[in-house]
Amino acid sequence: MRKFGLIGYPLSHSFSKKYFTNKFEKEEIADAQYELFPIQSIQELPKLLRDNPDLVGLNVTIPYKEQVIPFLHHIDPKAHAIGAVNTIRIEKGKLTGYNTDYFGFKDSLVKFIGANAFPEKALILGTGGASKAVKAALDDLNIHHKFVSREPVEGQLSYESIASSPNHVLTSLLIINTTPLGMSPNTDTLPKLPYEHLTPNHMLYDLVYNPLKTAFMQKGIEAKCWVKNGLEMLHGQAEKSWEIWNR
Ligand SMILES: NC(=O)c1ccc[n+]([C@@H]2O[C@H](COP(=O)([O-])OP(=O)(O)OC[C@H]3O[C@@H](n4cnc5c(N)ncnc54)[C@H](OP(=O)(O)O)[C@@H]3O)[C@@H](O)[C@H]2O)c1
């Protein structure tokens, strides 16, 4: 039996366990199982690996995506640049870390843009963990971007500056929400943007996937923009983990 699992804390609502358990059943993968490992400190990882010698792959979630890095033997260059790991491949006791949020987002964004003209400029709302994978994908796709933050540091924009200078929204045809605003149960919250400046040429990508249509996306729909939720990215990052574990 090949064992896979998720480390994080707490792990009450795990998408990954449901996703992989369904996948193993549906695709008749009989030699694999997926378990939750809600460890209270990352220091518990070495013992967890000793106690589970049949573990061949792990997903990593909050709060360990960065803390896990010193425990790895190798790190994929992209995950290193992003500074966060959400997938670990375990081979002969050696741990290699990857960031599959990056792949999940990039592939989904390219599909979303589809036959439209590639946007030259983008705004990334929020500066947390997921925003770093988004930034790496935009860098690779040569889409210039600015972060928007409640507490901007040098080079970042504040929500107030965006509200007072419509040019930011007018010229950034791609706007990506990487904040948790709009996520269930707070479904009526949304980033503070001058939505009146949106045009049918704008593309709004929301990393939030629950609900499937967020308040941010709804604003885009009202302005006839292209909109996308984070579900495809979520499935994409899980499938990329599976691919990495089966290489
Ligand atoms: N679809 C997927 O596959 C996928 C993958 C990863 C994450 N996500 C989703 O993406 C979201 C962010 O995840 P994360 O791990 O990056 O979270 P995070 O580390 O907590 O970061 C979120 C960022 O959003 C901003 N923010 C937080 N609360 C806010 C508020 N009340 N108002 C305005 N801005 C706020 C903050 O940036 P500032 O302090 O700079 O404003 C914060 O750093 C979550 O909803 C998560 O479920 C989806």
Side-chain angles (χ1 to χ4, degrees):
M1 183 64 74
R2 295 185 299 154
K3 202 189 271 186
F4 302 89
L6 173 67
I7 58 168
Y9 196 83
L11 291 181
S12 42
H13 303 289
S14 162
F15 156 82
S16 302
K17 183 173 162 76
K18 266 185 241 137
Y19 184 86
F20 283 110
T21 305
N22 282 344
K23 179 181 172 72
F24 298 159
E25 226 174 85
K26 223 170 50 198
E27 297 179 21
E28 297 181 10
I29 303 168
D31 69 333
Q33 72 184 66
Y34 196 98
E35 270 187 42
L36 296 180
F37 299 106
I39 53 177
Q40 292 196 35
S41 152
I42 194 64
Q43 302 301 333
E44 293 175 34
L45 180 60
K47 181 175 183 314
L48 187 152
L49 295 170
R50 280 197 302 276
D51 292 348
N52 296 277
D54 41 358
L55 257 180
V56 291
L58 282 172
N59 286 126
V60 184
T61 189
I62 292 167
Y64 302 131
K65 287 187 182 185
E66 285 146 22
Q67 294 177 39
V68 78
I69 292 175
F71 291 82
L72 304 172
H73 300 91
H74 305 286
I75 184 164
D76 171 73
K78 199 55 81 182
H80 179 68
I82 293 166
V85 158
N86 75 334
T87 298
I88 299 174
R89 177 184 158 101
I90 306 165
E91 201 180 17
K92 296 186 186 127
K94 300 277 187 239
L95 276 57
T96 306
Y98 300 85
N99 187 306
T100 68
D101 282 340
Y102 159 81
F103 294 100
F105 174 72
K106 193 171 127 194
D107 292 351
S108 170
L109 178 66
V110 168
K111 272 195 221 159
F112 176 45
I113 296 171
N116 288 312
F118 242 67
E120 282 176 23
K121 289 211 263 179
L123 294 174
I124 306 175
L125 314 177
T127 62
S131 77
K132 297 192 177 103
V134 166
K135 177 196 169 22
L138 296 188
D139 281 340
D140 286 359
L141 296 169
N142 286 320
I143 300 174
H144 295 285
H145 48 78
K146 281 236 149 99
F147 283 104
V148 186
S149 172
R150 293 166 302 173
E151 290 176 31
V153 297
E154 213 187 313
Q156 298 179 346
L157 297 166
S158 65
Y159 290 94
E160 293 73 24
S161 66
I162 293 210
S164 60
S165 165
N167 234 19
H168 292 300
V169 167
L170 284 172
T171 60
S172 302
L173 293 184
L174 174 61
I175 304 179
I176 303 151
N177 177 37
T178 78
T179 80
L181 290 169
M183 195 162 73
S184 179
N186 303 311
T187 54
D188 54 357
T189 59
L190 74 170
K192 266 195 223 139
L193 290 182
Y195 290 98
E196 65 276 15
H197 298 312
L198 292 177
T199 69
N201 292 326
H202 277 86
M203 289 177 257
L204 304 193
Y205 193 118
D206 201 334
L207 263 61
V208 173
Y209 48 84
N210 179 18
L212 294 175
K213 186 162 78 183
T214 62
F216 171 68
M217 289 165 65
Q218 184 56 40
K219 286 286 187 190
I221 290 166
E222 284 161 19
K224 300 193 164 50
C225 306
W226 303 84
V227 299
K228 174 100 180 162
N229 66 32
L231 194 65
E232 188 177 71
M233 171 180 174
L234 189 69
H235 290 176
Q237 61 80 26
E239 282 302 316
K240 188 72 188 180
S241 296
W242 183 243
E243 183 202 310
I244 287 168
W245 295 330
N246 286 285
R247 271 178 191 166

